[in-house]
Amino acid sequence: MFILCIGCGEKKNSNYDAISESQVTLTTDKNSPKRIKVIFDTDANNELDDQHALAYLLFNEHAFETIGVTVNATINGGELKNHYDEAQRILKLCNKEDIPLINGADKSYSEIENTIDKSDYDGREAVDFILNETKKDSVTIIAVGKLTNIALALKKDSTFANRTKIVWLGSNYPHPGEYNQENDTVAMNYVLNSSIPFEMVTVRYGEPSGTDAVGVSVHEINSRMPGKGPIAKEAVIGRHDGVFNTFGDYSVSLFKNIEAHDNESYTRALFDMVAVAVLKNQSWGKTRTIATPILIDGKWVERPNNSRKIVLWEDFNKEALLADFFETMQKATPKTK
């Protein structure tokens, strides 16, 4: 019996001392001719890390070729349209409206799986896009929300597992909880029980070993993000109202409106951005290979004899990650005379 637990761990305040790019050696090979083809699977309207991860991905054109963005709905982000609209805002602010944006699953895997033979099942557009694009070329899927779209693609076509890799931002493994995991535990277990190559970028609320530790303060955003990024071809009305012409200004608005902060020292993790960053530069986190566990009744159960292995990401280099994030935002900004 799989239990869906809605209440996830709280993200805590912490102090963040500003790190300048000069203090960190960035080791990414920016002259590499081989770009990673990526589909970005997101619940974009959940909070604010999805938006920063997507902008970071789009501004790293030397490292990634984003061939599409698929969306899904999770409980805190409202209906599916809200997630689509938020992802569209980011594409517009980054002047990347030519990248396909596709609706995915609104409901959970268990609610959809028995309808998958119908022509209009929930999530069909994203599933078809994912299956078709991975047949054309080698594509990595960066999933930063629930895993419903991925599980449905595996259910629809079992050969999908042989032609892609999933890099998923999710779980507090080996501890219970975590938002993306709990939004569709059945989908996560289905993916874990498949043969698809799978990398789990851990969250671990309140612990230094997970992406929760890669936080940036409101003060840092207010001082470094205004005006960053290209000038949008068309002004965008934000999620919290306001009109924006750059992603940097929208970033300031997102941090201003995030719940539960009362001053500029408040720090928020850029969880999803880390999943993109470690794909760009593997030295920014540590990996270990583990026998694939399973989640039962909200608890991780180890399966040490399981021949199926997955990669676990943890212990991230916060300073290098944030330095590269801000450097990327700066390089995307037109130079002024």
Side-chain angles (χ1 to χ4, degrees), residues 101-274:
L101 175 61
I102 303 101
N103 277 322
D106 186 13
K107 298 179 181 178
S108 67
Y109 176 80
S110 60
E111 295 174 288
I112 302 170
E113 61 172 328
N114 292 329
T115 67
I116 202 167
D117 291 330
K118 296 182 179 180
S119 61
D120 60 347
Y121 69 90
D122 181 11
R124 181 191 62 80
E125 291 178 71
V127 171
D128 285 351
F129 179 80
I130 289 169
L131 293 177
N132 290 336
E133 292 301 318
T134 54
K135 287 176 182 177
K136 295 176 184 177
D137 203 350
S138 177
V139 177
T140 296
I141 300 173
I142 303 176
V144 296
K146 66 184 184 182
L147 285 169
T148 314
N149 290 337
I150 310 305
L152 290 171
L154 286 164
K155 175 76 171 179
K156 190 72 175 177
D157 179 1
S158 60
T159 69
F160 170 58
N162 302 324
R163 57 180 188 263
T164 192
K165 175 177 78 171
I166 309 299
V167 178
W168 179 54
L169 187 286
S171 108
N172 291 332
Y173 176 87
H175 306 299
E178 198 278 314
Y179 181 80
N180 289 342
Q181 167 189 302
E182 291 172 349
N183 265 270
D184 199 339
T185 57
V186 176
M188 182 193 67
N189 280 332
Y190 189 89
V191 175
L192 288 176
N193 280 332
S194 76
S195 61
I196 198 165
F198 190 82
E199 300 185 8
M200 182 186 291
V201 184
T202 57
V203 173
R204 295 178 180 165
Y205 299 127
E207 297 184 22
S209 62
T211 56
D212 188 52
V214 185
V216 60
S217 71
V218 174
H219 171 74
E220 188 77 350
I221 292 294
N222 288 346
S223 63
R224 301 188 70 171
M225 287 301 287
K228 293 300 187 291
I231 305 300
K233 297 172 184 175
E234 181 181 343
V236 171
I237 298 174
R239 183 170 76 179
H240 306 285
D241 295 324
V243 179
F244 302 91
N245 294 291
T246 67
F247 173 75
D249 290 341
Y250 191 49
S251 169
V252 172
S253 173
L254 290 170
F255 269 79
K256 177 183 177 181
N257 286 281
I258 197 67
E259 62 182 16
H261 86 269
D262 55 4
N263 56 59
E264 285 203 337
S265 66
Y266 178 79
T267 296
R268 197 72 169 187
L270 294 181
F271 305 100
D272 298 344
M273 187 276 293
V274 180

Side-chain angles (χ1 to χ4, degrees), residues 16-27 30 56 220 223-225 228 284 318-332:
Y16 171 62
D17 294 326
I19 302 293
S20 68
E21 287 85 357
S22 62
Q23 291 176 272
V24 180
T25 300
L26 302 177
T27 58
K30 297 182 179 180
Y56 177 75
E220 188 77 350
S223 63
R224 301 188 70 171
M225 287 301 287
K228 293 300 187 291
W284 291 337
K318 172 183 173 179
E319 289 76 18
L321 284 162
L322 292 180
D324 190 67
F325 172 78
F326 286 117
E327 182 186 45
T328 297
M329 297 299 119
Q330 181 62 51
K331 287 186 174 181

